[in-house]
Every structure is written in C-alpha cells, then in structure tokens.
Amino acid sequence: MISTAYIQEDLEKLGITPDYSGYKQCFRSVELAVEDEDRLLNVSKRLYPEVAESLDCKTGRIERNIRTIIFHAWKIAPRYLNEIARFPLDVPPSVTEFLSILTTHTLRQLKKKQS
C-alpha cells in the first residue's frame, strides 16, 4: 500500500526508526487513521485498542511509547515536524496532535499522487 511508504518516510525524516518501541505503534496508528480519520476523534477508545490487538501489546503502553518518539522527533527534526504540520509548533505536540499531523500529511501525499 502506498500510504505505508509515506508513513515510513515521514517517520525516518523525524529520526524515528524501527528500533524505537513506539515505532510500530505509531506506524499502525497512522495507518488505521488514514483508513478512517474518525478514529482520531477518540484515540483511547477507537484507535489504541485496534493497535494493541494488531500488535499484541497493552493499550496503556501505546500512548507512552508514542510520546517518547514525539520528544525524540522534536529534538531531532523540529523543522520537519513544523513543515508537515503546516502550523507553528512551539512545543512538542500531544500524541493525538502528532498522529493527526502524520495522518493529514499522508492523506495530502496520497491526494497529490492521485492528481
């Protein structure tokens, strides 16, 4: 699927590699949100349980692990994060904001590819 390549590229540009425990959780979260953006409306009840089930992990760890990679991305590539957000970020985004930024950017890239 094309969207997976876009997600992987964004994560790499943010300095997030598969050796981070939150990589797969973030990747799968964005993948699911690209399929249905409404999952972002309530990540705790709609998104995390699906991610946990598909990756065989505990729901409670997902947010913590993604938060860890957000701080890493903020430290490594704040300029790129601001670029894909398309709005100024003065502090690291929340988990929901981060997933929304990545999802929206992926959807924009898919739309651009289809044009």
Side-chain angles (χ1 to χ4, degrees):
M1 184 177 201
I2 290 176
S3 66
T4 60
Y6 293 135
I7 298 165
Q8 182 179 12
E9 182 179 320
D10 280 342
L11 291 174
E12 287 174 2
K13 286 182 178 180
L14 291 167
I16 302 163
T17 55
D19 59 323
Y20 284 90
S21 59
Y23 178 89
K24 287 181 183 177
Q25 296 162 353
C26 181
F27 189 98
R28 185 67 180 138
S29 295
V30 174
E31 200 173 38
L32 289 169
V34 166
E35 289 176 11
D36 180 5
E37 286 181 273
D38 286 345
R39 287 179 169 121
L40 293 171
L41 297 174
N42 192 336
V43 294
S44 297
K45 291 185 179 179
R46 295 201 54 208
L47 188 61
Y48 295 162
E50 286 186 66
V51 173
E53 185 179 327
S54 69
L55 296 177
D56 194 30
C57 65
K58 295 185 181 194
T59 306
R61 295 180 179 231
I62 295 170
E63 186 165 359
R64 185 197 66 189
N65 290 341
I66 295 174
R67 192 177 314 116
T68 299
I69 64 171
I70 290 169
F71 287 113
H72 178 74
W74 184 254
K75 185 174 127 185
I76 299 298
R79 193 172 299 159
Y80 184 68
L81 188 52
N82 272 280
E83 180 185 318
I84 65 172
R86 291 192 174 179
F87 58 86
L89 295 167
D90 298 324
V91 296
S94 68
V95 173
T96 303
E97 288 172 325
F98 185 71
L99 295 174
S100 179
I101 289 166
L102 290 173
T103 300
T104 302
H105 188 249
T106 300
L107 289 169
R108 280 195 307 260
Q109 289 177 301
L110 288 169
K111 188 175 180 180
K112 188 176 175 182
K113 176 82 173 173
Q114 292 171 351
S115 299

